[in-house]
Amino acid sequence: KQEVTQIPAALSVPEGENLVLNCSFTDSAIYNLQWFRQDPGKGLTSLLLIQSSQREQTSGRLNASLDKSSGRSTLYIAASQPGDSATYLCAVRPSGGATNKLIFGTGTLLAVQP
Amino acid sequence: GAGVSQSPSNKVTEKGKDVELRCDPISGHTALYWYRQRLGQGLEFLIYFQGNSAPDKSGLPSDRFSAERTGESVSTLTIQRTQQEDSAVYLCASSPRGTIYYEQYFGPGTRLTVT
């Protein structure tokens, strides 16, 4: 059974700092991995989608890497800003069985202090 | 363009009552998903619709839960005889096609509180 874990559960950093969020999954048989941010009352916003054949994806100050064989992904946020404060979720799409659902981690709550 | 919308945004109901939650997907998206997020837990998959195919109901936690979707339009998630453990945020997502390559776009969710 696929399980997704995110460490740390919460993180507080001063503005301007670079930071890394971690995501691990137990079964490497995935089609892709997706990072989301969740703001209170606003649902989920997709940040980056990495296909299983890719190593990383970049969007602005965000860079996500994927090491499928070791079951790990990281989300790197450069020069953090208070507006980055949110819960960050990673999710994998398994390649075996039902391929049409995402398996989510429990998230990392990020607070960027001004 | 318009994103996924859900209504109501908040719902408080008494234990034992039935509730209906609504999801309007992005126009043209053939795939629609329902997830549940209980406090302090990750999102759990509930049900998936793809066009006119039979839905994947493998995530529904009990027979009190059901969902309908007509064609590629609105979906309703119904919870009968609500219990306190049903309290959660219910999130709907849609994607252009139900394949492995397409991102899921999420709505703002419905926060359900069962008292």
Side-chain angles (χ1 to χ4, degrees), chain B residues 1-61:
Chain B
V4 177
S5 61
Q6 293 185 245
S7 60
S9 55
N10 282 283
K11 175 72 176 179
V12 180
T13 190
E14 292 180 354
K15 178 182 172 180
K17 295 280 181 71
D18 297 352
V19 296
E20 268 194 5
L21 312 180
R22 177 186 169 107
C23 172
D24 284 86
I26 294 172
S27 178
H29 281 195
T30 59
L32 186 146
Y33 311 77
W34 283 97
Y35 293 86
R36 174 174 73 173
Q37 186 177 32
R38 288 188 280 192
L39 188 64
Q41 300 184 23
L43 276 76
E44 306 169 76
F45 167 79
L46 296 177
I47 189 168
Y48 159 75
F49 295 91
Q50 170 55 42
N52 292 316
S53 303
D56 176 356
K57 303 180 182 180
S58 60
L60 294 179

Side-chain angles (χ1 to χ4, degrees), chain B residues 66-88:
Chain B
S66 63
E68 293 184 352
R69 186 185 189 199
T70 303
E72 297 179 359
S73 61
V74 170
S75 174
T76 55
L77 176 69
T78 301
I79 308 173
Q80 295 178 312
R81 305 181 302 282
T82 51
Q83 303 294 312
Q84 288 185 330
E85 63 262 29
D86 299 334
S87 296

Side-chain angles (χ1 to χ4, degrees), chain A residues 2-110:
Chain A
Q2 177 73 270
E3 292 183 1
V4 181
T5 304
Q6 292 187 247
I7 294 174
L11 180 63
S12 180
V13 300
E15 181 177 4
E17 193 162 296
N18 302 326
L19 59 101
V20 174
L21 307 180
N22 297 290
C23 172
S24 61
F25 45 97
T26 56
D27 189 341
S28 62
I30 64 169
Y31 280 124
N32 56 44
L33 182 145
Q34 198 165 353
W35 282 94
F36 297 87
R37 68 175 279 167
Q38 185 174 29
D39 296 279
K42 293 187 178 181
L44 276 67
T45 302
S46 178
L47 298 174
L48 291 164
L49 172 69
I50 311 176
Q51 303 297 348
S52 61
S53 58
Q54 297 175 321
R55 286 286 188 173
E56 64 179 316
Q57 283 284 336
T58 298
S59 176
R61 295 182 294 108
L62 305 180
N63 176 277
S65 68
L66 175 64
D67 184 342
K68 197 177 76 162
S69 60
S70 67
R72 290 185 294 186
S73 176
T74 61
L75 179 67
Y76 174 84
I77 302 177
S80 58
Q81 303 171 356
D84 295 331
S85 298
T87 297
Y88 289 80
L89 298 166
C90 71
V92 300
R93 180 164 287 186
S95 58
T99 62
N100 41 33
K101 66 180 180 183
L102 296 175
I103 308 294
F104 282 85
T106 52
T108 294
L109 177 61
L110 173 65

